[in-house]
Amino acid sequence: MGSRHHLNQIKHGPPLPYNDDSRAHTKEYAQALSAQDPLKDLRAEFIIPTKADLKRKTLTKQADANEPPEPSIYLCGNSLGLQPRRTSEQVQSHLSAWATKGVLGHFFEHDDSTLPPFLHVDDVAAEQMAPIVGALRSEVAVMGTLTSNLHLLMASFYRPDRGRWKVMIEGKAFPSDHYAVESQIRHHGLNPKDSIIIVEPTSPTGTTITTDQILSTIDAHASTLALILLPGIQYYTGQYFDIATITAHAQSKGIIIGWDLAHAVGNVDVQLHDWNVDFAAWCNYKYLNSGPGAIAGLFVHERHGAVDMEKEGRGEEGFRPRLSGWWGGDKSTRFDMDNSTNPPSLRPQIQHSNHPSTRANHHTPTEFIPIPGAAGYQVSNPSALDLTAVLSSLSIFSQTSMSAVRAKSINLTGYLEHLLLTYPLSTSTSTSTSTSSQAPLFIILTPPSPRERGAQLSIRLRPNLLEPVMRELEDHGVVVDERRPDVIRVAPAPLYNSYVDVWEFWKVFSGAVRRAATAAEGGGGREGGEGEDRDEGSGSGSAVMMEGGRGEKGWGGIK
């Protein structure tokens, strides 16, 4: 009786961890998890496209259209985050400031707007971005775009000489990173063929790179490496690298190391200052929800951002060389236009303070005094319109913490993995799709350890299944990312995705894979009915999902 009573309590009580709860494959369980989610209220801060929105060919909904308001299942924040509701309001506020004040908007504070004057919007954005990347305020600049920022940073940090000139990257680096590294090497008159070190999985069946392998590669080439550039999270597999350990090891060998954090910022709780990272760059349109092609961000550790003009006066290097522009110069004299390349008759006659950057008759022909820190790497004035969109998203992050976001993400992605790899509970096999002599219907490329991944799971399908599976996902209003020929990337974003979203995806995906496999084997594609109409708690007709597993086909297949 006691055991039966205990089972009854489990069946009708609050949800247990998904690994321990027999109800984990039911929608009711997912709803219970969503109900107790401490971040659930943040979902309302975002505009979730409806399924009708995704299919409508016009931006404007027709007045007589009878469109159901059912939200889509949007699991594509690793490509483009959803729009915060407050973005439209904030952008309109910026446009009103421009319309009503013109150039005076650079300096004017409005009583009825939370936006700063145009002149200071980049400073405010950097201040709000700093806690998201674990940095000091002075170590962050919100500027440029990801690849252009990498170029600016490498122009400063990649300084090859006869002894050290090589750059280490990973074999499946995002193409733009690879192109940027190659062009930087060519810019220095070197040949990329003998200047790039590629780190790849040692196992032919492996898809991820171990920390030990990266460290051993550094050791093997330490005497010739001038720079290492790695991703915080690998865009294709979703692997989260051990930034702290790799950074410390590289620096122990005297090697500068930088990180592309496009898939990490807003996703995992990085601590760039404490990890002593030399430099990093990221985009803000993925997990930071700032819009397509949004203005990006960069980090420069404070030890690299120091400015000592007394050294400069003695002919020594008073700050790290970089490609310079006026917006990175001393803000107190930014609008004086007193660069000494002008002949004396054209120089503004302005009385300055005793600051060395403003004393008359003490200029040199090439004088540039950067703002200390990352702001000194700015080149041109940033778009205040773009920065307004970034601030709209950052204001949502300010309602929580990255540790809370990360905690939910670990559980949310873990629940997705659990559904994919454990359903059905029985060991029965499908009569319509025999897979005993074939490759699994899908494998997960992403590491199983939560410490080695972010929100994303990369799922590789059996050959020739991607197109029919994606078509069915789209038909059901499920938005995920595909990487041809056979991978989909699924990324539950913890700010706006729920456990029900994950469950709905799994429900559609499981049916789509089963039907695609059946059709590929000549059994017809619609036998057994739609996946969403099946018994969600039983193994009937979906046992083929037992064929799901972890990565077997290796890096060569990815490349």
Side-chain angles (χ1 to χ4, degrees), residues 150-151 154-155 157-161 164-169 177-198 224-229:
L150 284 175
H151 274 297
M154 285 191 285
F157 286 92
Y158 178 51
R159 304 171 72 179
D161 56 34
R164 288 182 163 180
W165 75 96
K166 296 181 180 179
V167 181
M168 186 177 111
I169 60 176
D177 289 18
H178 203 140
Y179 303 153
V181 167
E182 281 192 356
S183 63
Q184 286 285 330
I185 289 170
R186 294 182 189 277
H187 184 70
H188 286 278
L190 302 171
N191 189 340
K193 290 183 178 179
D194 56 19
S195 300
I196 296 180
I197 302 298
I198 300 291
T224 57
L225 274 174
L227 178 69
I228 298 170
L229 180 64

Side-chain angles (χ1 to χ4, degrees), residues 413 416-417 420 444 446 453 455-459 488-490:
T413 299
L416 170 60
E417 179 188 49
L420 290 170
I444 297 177
T446 312
R453 68 185 184 207
Q456 172 183 319
L457 290 185
S458 297
I459 304 170
I488 65 172
R489 303 184 304 168
V490 187

